[in-house]
Amino acid sequence: MITSKKITIPPTFKIAYSKPTYAREWTRYGVQAKAPEYLLQIAAGSDDVIAATHGGVTEIYVRKSAVAA
C-alpha cells in the first residue's frame, strides 16, 4: 500500500473504492467485480491494483482493462 500526501495515478487506472480512515464502509465507484478487502490483499503483488492512503483517505484503483476480470 502506498502512503503519501499526493499520488499520481496512471491514466490506465480508475478509482474503484475509497474510504476515510475513520469509516467502516467503502464507497464504491461504478460496478466492481471484486470486493475491496480482496483488492487490498492483492494490491501488493499485482500490477493491476493500486492501494493508496493520503489525506486520511484510502483509495483503491484498478486497471481499466482488469475491472471485468
Side-chain angles (χ1 to χ4, degrees):
M1 182 179 302
I2 300 170
T3 304
S4 68
K5 291 186 179 185
K6 186 164 183 151
I7 183 170
T8 302
I9 300 301
T12 59
F13 284 80
K14 71 172 196 168
I15 188 165
Y17 294 97
S18 72
K19 177 181 80 143
T21 53
Y22 60 83
R24 295 180 141 215
E25 298 292 322
W26 288 91
T27 300
R28 179 175 50 185
Y29 296 91
V31 177
Q32 303 304 324
K34 308 289 184 187
E37 294 80 13
Y38 174 77
L39 292 174
L40 284 174
Q41 288 178 356
I42 66 169
S46 174
D47 292 335
D48 294 328
V49 179
I50 298 172
T53 300
H54 57 90
V57 177
T58 300
E59 296 175 332
I60 303 171
Y61 298 88
V62 294
R63 189 176 306 273
K64 290 178 184 176
S65 62
V67 173

